[in-house]
Amino acid sequence: MLKNYDPATYYDEMMQGKNSARRHYETFHRLLENFTLEELHEKHETAQLSFLRQGITFTVYHEEGGTERTMPFDLVPIIIPSDDWERIEAGIKQRVKALNLFLEDIYNEKKIVLDGVIPKELVENNQYYYEKQASGLKIPHDNHIFLAGIDLIRDNEGTYRVLEDNLRNPSGMSYVFQNRFVMRKVFPELFFEHEIRTLEHQASHLHCALLSHVPEGSESKDAPVAVLLTPGMYNSAYYDHIFLAQQMGIELVEGQDLLVKDDKVYMKTLRGLHRVDIIYRRIDDDYLDPEEFNADSELGVPGLMRAYRAGNVAICNGVGNGVADDKAMYVYVPDMIRYYLGEEPLIPNVETYFLTDPEVRKDVLSRLDELVVKNVGASGGYDMLIGPQATPELIEIFRQKILESPEQYIAQPTIQLSRAPAFQDERFYPCHVDLRVFAIGGEDIHVLPGGLSRVALKEGSLVVNSSQGGGGKDTWVLRKGDDAHA
């Protein structure tokens, strides 16, 4: 089945040679050999139809012929052995704990700046640092990070590295569940031959963690009311919002459904106003409250920050989290771990160059064709240059961008992202992959077993982002024991 599949010099998640599967893939590889290409094609089509019929969509910007489409799905899962997962889980908890301590510190005492660990200007000049709005707030559990999406890659040695921290509105958790649902539907036989960590109860865990953020001013501490605040159906992650609200059993609301009265938040219902205690917001800070952010915003709720400051409502994720997941601040996360926790980082970063340094900038500009350049404030793979794949014209555009605003960009070496087999158009071929791991913060930090494996389905592409046309794979974390199947 994979006779013509060549891992080449890349680290391949499944194959360690042309004809040899890695040990934890051996059973899957053997079972895969039992299918004909026609059967696999039929299962592939069934999977795509399942996504279409369920309306599992994602919005792709800048694509001709409409913006909304179903999420492409690939039937070859990413399988992670239990030992590898234990290291990932510990590393993610360590990182999120340090990032949360940083947010609590930077909006209160600012010790890490006063001690010279992080440059003052890097914080104060950050476009997502909302000192006026977010300083001195009393937050349940001092927890700013209810849901984090940490992006991991593996280099050509197979070492996991953190590529990016997402602490504002990380999307994609719904696809983790739907990928598993579709995979079980299409390949039920595979699940009887593997011991996989289950995703069951993870939505309940998410709900419990959300409700644990009940604010001091709540009148219903034993039964707080939570809602998910969405910008609406035109948001790229709207399906994600619907799914999570349904799974947690909370209302999905837009800004116009809420109002603030006497510094308390109420939801408009057919039975009158209903007090709201906790808001899981999927609206960016700038649009959250027109009284304190963008005055033209019609997405948010006027007066929401007053209610938040009065302790009458909790907002998850916290306001101003963007200062911690900025791509320039990313460089300092290992220092945060050492400063706050007194530990060495369990998962390393990717080497990163600051372009504000004239000597570094000169060096980077001389070899743009071999580096990756990113806008520190952008996400989703936008405003990014992948030097080895870029045209001379695009490289020149980024050269000018860097010269005009060097503080707005960072550069990294082009990592040889690991690859895994993908089955599309009735053939297997290698595609680059990454892994978004979700950490849920409440009274403690819980890591969802698995995560969203994203795959660059365009052969040779390094861009795995869903918003840029990437697809998804199911992610299996193998169990050590003999617990129930996923």
Side-chain angles (χ1 to χ4, degrees), residues 43 68 78 107 114 172 258-259 263 292 327 335 395 402:
K43 287 177 179 291
E68 194 171 15
I78 295 297
Y107 284 114
L114 295 173
L258 302 177
L259 66 82
D263 291 345
E292 301 211 20
K327 289 181 177 61
D335 291 328
I395 289 176
I402 292 169

Side-chain angles (χ1 to χ4, degrees), residues 77-92:
I78 295 297
I79 303 178
I80 304 174
S82 58
D83 289 348
D84 283 0
W85 181 252
E86 285 177 3
R87 286 193 289 276
I88 291 172
E89 187 176 34
I92 295 295

Side-chain angles (χ1 to χ4, degrees), residues 127-145:
Q127 62 178 315
Y128 300 111
Y129 181 53
Y130 293 101
E131 183 176 23
K132 177 184 172 185
Q133 293 89 346
S135 291
L137 291 169
K138 183 60 182 171
I139 297 174
H141 315 303
D142 293 332
N143 182 43
H144 298 252
I145 306 171

Side-chain angles (χ1 to χ4, degrees), residues 195-196 479-485:
E195 295 176 351
I196 305 167
R479 307 185 69 114
K480 279 185 174 176
D482 58 353
D483 297 85
H485 298 297

Side-chain angles (χ1 to χ4, degrees), residues 34-265:
N34 294 332
F35 295 105
T36 64
L37 278 177
E38 289 73 22
E39 288 171 330
L40 289 175
H41 175 69
E42 186 178 327
K43 287 177 179 291
H44 169 80
E45 291 297 306
T46 302
Q48 307 307 323
L49 277 173
S50 181
F51 276 83
L52 181 63
R53 286 171 180 154
Q54 292 182 74
I56 303 169
T57 60
F58 199 92
T59 300
V60 180
Y61 297 119
H62 309 305
E63 188 175 79
E64 294 180 3
T67 59
E68 194 171 15
R69 65 167 195 174
T70 55
M71 173 70 81
F73 176 74
D74 184 70
L75 51 79
V76 180
I78 295 297
I79 303 178
I80 304 174
S82 58
D83 289 348
D84 283 0
W85 181 252
E86 285 177 3
R87 286 193 289 276
I88 291 172
E89 187 176 34
I92 295 295
K93 285 183 178 179
Q94 180 195 55
R95 194 171 181 98
V96 172
K97 187 176 180 181
L99 285 164
N100 189 63
L101 288 169
F102 169 71
L103 285 164
E104 181 66 10
D105 183 18
I106 213 67
Y107 284 114
N108 290 283
E109 298 180 76
K110 304 180 181 62
K111 287 182 179 177
I112 198 167
V113 171
L114 295 173
D115 287 341
V117 178
I118 292 180
K120 181 181 176 182
E121 60 273 15
L122 196 62
V123 175
E124 293 185 345
N125 295 339
N126 189 296
Q127 62 178 315
Y128 300 111
Y129 181 53
Y130 293 101
E131 183 176 23
K132 177 184 172 185
Q133 293 89 346
S135 291
L137 291 169
K138 183 60 182 171
I139 297 174
H141 315 303
D142 293 332
N143 182 43
H144 298 252
I145 306 171
F146 161 62
L147 184 63
I150 310 296
D151 293 342
L152 303 181
I153 58 169
R154 296 179 96 171
D155 60 22
N156 57 350
E157 300 294 326
T159 302
Y160 282 103
R161 293 180 182 274
V162 176
L163 182 65
E164 194 167 296
D165 305 293
N166 296 282
L167 310 177
R168 285 170 277 175
N169 291 310
S171 61
M173 185 183 276
S174 59
Y175 305 115
V176 177
F177 292 93
Q178 294 294 4
N179 289 344
R180 177 63 52 84
F181 173 79
V182 170
M183 195 69 182
R184 289 192 59 167
K185 180 179 178 182
V186 176
F187 284 109
E189 57 272 58
L190 299 182
F191 287 82
F192 293 107
E193 298 286 343
H194 293 86
E195 295 176 351
I196 305 167
R197 292 275 298 273
T198 180
L199 296 178
E200 197 175 350
H201 306 307
Q202 295 300 318
S204 297
H205 197 105
L206 187 72
H207 188 214
C208 289
L210 182 64
L211 295 186
S212 76
H213 290 83
V214 58
E216 287 185 353
S218 170
E219 295 172 351
S220 308
K221 286 190 169 59
D222 294 331
V225 174
V227 298
L228 193 155
L229 177 61
T230 174
M233 63 183 293
Y234 296 110
N235 185 268
S236 63
Y238 187 58
Y239 174 79
D240 215 43
H241 305 167
I242 295 172
F243 181 89
L244 292 178
Q246 285 178 338
Q247 292 300 307
M248 290 192 286
I250 64 177
E251 294 289 338
L252 180 73
V253 299
E254 297 184 20
Q256 61 191 354
D257 300 319
L258 302 177
L259 66 82
V260 176
K261 184 178 178 184
D262 299 328
D263 291 345
K264 297 172 184 172
V265 180

Side-chain angles (χ1 to χ4, degrees), residues 133 137 229 255 258-266 276 279 287-295 297 299-315 319:
Q133 293 89 346
L137 291 169
L229 177 61
L258 302 177
L259 66 82
V260 176
K261 184 178 178 184
D262 299 328
D263 291 345
K264 297 172 184 172
V265 180
Y266 294 90
V276 171
I279 297 175
Y287 305 97
L288 198 56
D289 179 353
E291 288 185 5
E292 301 211 20
F293 298 98
N294 186 344
S297 172
L299 299 176
V301 185
L304 181 57
M305 288 301 295
R306 280 189 281 111
Y308 188 28
R309 201 167 288 115
N312 290 328
V313 70
I315 299 176
V319 174

